[in-house]
Amino acid sequence: PGVPGLPGSPPVPKAKTGDELARMSILPERVEIPAGGSAWVLVRLAIEPKWHVYWRNPGDSGVPVELTWSLPKGVSAGEIRWPRPEVFRTPYEVTYGYGDEVGLLVELRASEGIDPGDREASLRGDWMICKEMCLVGGATRAFEIEVRSPGVAKDPRPEVVAAIDRWRAEVPRTAPPGMGVAAEIEFEGALVPDLVEARGVLRVFGPAGRFQQVRFLPDATPGTRYPDGGPVEGRVAAGRFEIEVPISVRPGDALGEPMRAAGIVCLGNARTDPAFEIEVPIVPPNPGESTAP
């Protein structure tokens, strides 16, 4: 078989870089937006087998995929709509992310006063990709934006619509009011002025339908921590689920942001099974306010 590096031996395969282990593409390559309107863009990462990239809350380690847009004046980008992530476990940590492929949806908006016409734009994607080891990678893709006059419609390509709809179906949504999914927080004691730390439980409950598994994946929420790290497995009985998530609240760690407990409830085990966004505001009292009973 030969010895690598000696004459007559086969060449040693070059290890792939983080840039090569995930391949980024944009759909559509030419984005059509009516003035005063919006259009969805799908950013797809095709990921090398057995490697994975990270969700908005990576878990015990990792860095989320980051998208940086260079857009013409009058065009802005919304937040990433993240599909339901997978859970990756090792003997040392639990992380959240995506293997094989992931489609990230972003809404681009055009201001009302923008002139119709073609414009150049670009996207920079950066990621950490891991298997037994982790590498950083990234790519830049140029694309075109066509701003149309209001009311001038064009039929989008069916394959573009199908790809966007496919990934939109995997994005956790807010449960409709009539569905009966609810969340509440119970603290061990009253929230008092000059609060340093409070401990409590986030309870989420609702109908389980045909599913027998349910879990909660926590978001990264400044000032609110989930001591067990997650995911938190729930209970299913008589067609309903309940999840109890231990939390601790430290207003001094909130970085000036509104405090909340948040995450997603995942029914079943497949990425295409239903998932719902959960968010419960936490409002600690200000100094000088009366203590709640």
Side-chain angles (χ1 to χ4, degrees), residues 177-184 203-215 233-243 265-267:
M179 185 177 177
V181 174
E184 61 186 19
R203 291 190 175 90
V204 189
F205 44 89
R210 62 181 175 86
F211 297 98
Q212 297 301 313
Q213 298 84 29
V214 62
R215 61 175 49 156
E233 304 293 333
R235 302 181 298 274
V236 176
R240 294 188 61 79
F241 74 82
E242 182 174 355
I243 312 171
V265 169
C266 300
L267 295 170

Side-chain angles (χ1 to χ4, degrees), residues 280-291:
V280 181
I282 300 171
V283 185
N286 295 319
E289 289 184 354
S290 60
T291 303

Side-chain angles (χ1 to χ4, degrees), residues 11-22 48 51 129 131 133-136:
V12 178
K14 181 183 177 182
K16 291 186 177 182
T17 67
D19 295 352
E20 298 167 323
L21 288 167
E48 194 81 3
W51 292 78
I129 186 164
K131 191 170 65 171
M133 62 181 294
C134 292
L135 300 171
V136 294

Side-chain angles (χ1 to χ4, degrees), residues 7-8 26 32 45 52 54 59 66 71 84 92 100 108 135 155 165 174 176 178 193 214 216 254 270 274 292:
I26 299 177
E32 300 173 356
L45 290 178
H52 62 270
Y54 290 94
E66 182 177 353
L71 299 172
R84 169 177 169 161
Y92 313 104
D100 297 325
L108 300 187
L135 300 171
D155 293 330
D165 286 348
T174 302
V214 62
F216 177 82

